Amino acid sequence: MTTTRKDGTITITPQNEANQSATVIICHGLGDSSEGFSDVAEHLSSKLPYAKFILPTAPVQKVTMNMGMAMASWYDIVGLDKRSNEFCKGIDESQSRLANMIKAEMDMGISRNRIVLAGFSQGGALSLYTGMQLPAADGPPLAGIVVLSGYLPHSSGFNISAGLEGTPIWHGHGAADPLVRMEAAQESKKVVTERGATDYTFKSYAGLAHSVNPQEISDVLAFLQRVLPPDNTCKIKLKDPGEMSVKELKGAIAKAGLGSQAVGLMEKREFVDLLRQHRGGKL
């Protein structure tokens, strides 16, 4: 089930939301939107039917490197050299936004070790920067972090939270990337491991520019299947239909794609029965 919010966030949920036991958040690159990786998310979702995929869209702001043009960007980019990479105005706000998305999933019963942060280019940079600096007191490390053609931003302000050092990081990078060069990616791994990360996998792809290819996506899937295996004991905690208002019931029924089956229903108990049957896998 795919839905798009007014703020551009795309969410792909299991057909029966009661079956959700994991969450993957994917952040797009500079100047793109959630649509940019929706096809990849749809593919991954078909292989991990128990996972919810959330694809947020970055706010529009001026980007210094692109002559001050306004575009979707998680933070300002002054330049691609090491020194310029320290100036990332807006990264704290985007970091907080991702942290709040993680918390919202945790509030619904998904443990932090059943959540993966992923992203491409600037989105991968934000995922790495955020995922390793989450408040340690809020829960266990993330299930993993996926960085595609990304790097570590604002390294002078990067410190791994105690207890998150073992977070699995998978970093894929094109050997022919002309934007985020291989040297910058390798330097990012070096800095992150020196700061304490103990599980950082880096893989390069010959001939690949600033993009992804089928082999890389296949490798990402293998990583996700490893860190987010099926586990029915981790299923989301949903409000019992019997405790819902009629408005909540109608919303949940619409979200589940059961609108046609609800036509003609009048009594609350009928809506409750329909939703319970759906969650119980009887429809």
Side-chain angles (χ1 to χ4, degrees), residues 33-111:
S33 72
S34 56
E35 291 284 352
F37 263 73
S38 61
D39 56 341
V40 171
E42 291 277 6
H43 168 68
L44 296 175
S45 175
S46 70
K47 305 298 183 182
L48 290 88
Y50 47 86
K52 176 201 284 187
F53 286 78
I54 305 174
L55 292 79
T57 291
V60 174
Q61 55 187 305
K62 294 180 179 180
V63 177
T64 302
M65 183 180 70
N66 289 350
M67 298 178 291
M69 292 178 60
M71 61 187 66
S73 179
W74 297 108
Y75 51 86
D76 186 27
I77 298 179
V78 175
L80 298 176
D81 60 281
K82 186 175 181 179
R83 181 176 180 181
S84 297
N85 190 39
E86 290 301 320
F87 302 96
C88 304
K89 182 181 179 181
I91 196 170
D92 291 341
E93 291 80 0
S94 291
Q95 179 185 18
S96 294
R97 182 178 173 188
L98 282 193
N100 288 336
M101 293 174 66
I102 291 171
K103 184 178 184 304
E105 291 300 298
M106 293 172 67
D107 288 344
M108 295 178 67
I110 299 297
S111 175

Side-chain angles (χ1 to χ4, degrees), residues 16-197:
N16 182 349
E17 63 178 342
N19 290 332
Q20 180 193 348
S21 64
T23 301
V24 180
I25 300 171
I26 304 177
C27 299
H28 62 77
L30 177 66
D32 203 354
S33 72
S34 56
E35 291 284 352
F37 263 73
S38 61
D39 56 341
V40 171
E42 291 277 6
H43 168 68
L44 296 175
S45 175
S46 70
K47 305 298 183 182
L48 290 88
Y50 47 86
K52 176 201 284 187
F53 286 78
I54 305 174
L55 292 79
T57 291
V60 174
Q61 55 187 305
K62 294 180 179 180
V63 177
T64 302
M65 183 180 70
N66 289 350
M67 298 178 291
M69 292 178 60
M71 61 187 66
S73 179
W74 297 108
Y75 51 86
D76 186 27
I77 298 179
V78 175
L80 298 176
D81 60 281
K82 186 175 181 179
R83 181 176 180 181
S84 297
N85 190 39
E86 290 301 320
F87 302 96
C88 304
K89 182 181 179 181
I91 196 170
D92 291 341
E93 291 80 0
S94 291
Q95 179 185 18
S96 294
R97 182 178 173 188
L98 282 193
N100 288 336
M101 293 174 66
I102 291 171
K103 184 178 184 304
E105 291 300 298
M106 293 172 67
D107 288 344
M108 295 178 67
I110 299 297
S111 175
R112 201 158 73 177
N113 61 7
R114 293 290 294 175
I115 299 174
V116 166
L117 275 185
F120 174 77
S121 192
Q122 189 192 43
L126 176 65
S127 296
L128 179 60
Y129 187 83
T130 301
M132 298 302 287
Q133 298 191 99
L134 293 168
D138 289 355
L142 291 169
I145 299 171
V146 175
V147 183
L148 302 171
S149 302
Y151 56 94
L152 175 66
H154 190 38
S155 63
S156 62
F158 176 80
N159 294 289
I160 299 175
S161 299
L164 304 190
E165 297 87 351
T167 305
I169 302 169
W170 190 92
H171 188 159
H173 211 90
D177 193 329
L179 295 179
V180 181
R181 302 185 68 83
M182 178 66 73
E183 295 79 9
Q186 292 173 329
E187 175 66 16
S188 293
K189 177 185 178 181
K190 178 175 180 290
V191 172
V192 174
T193 52
E194 286 177 346
R195 301 281 169 87

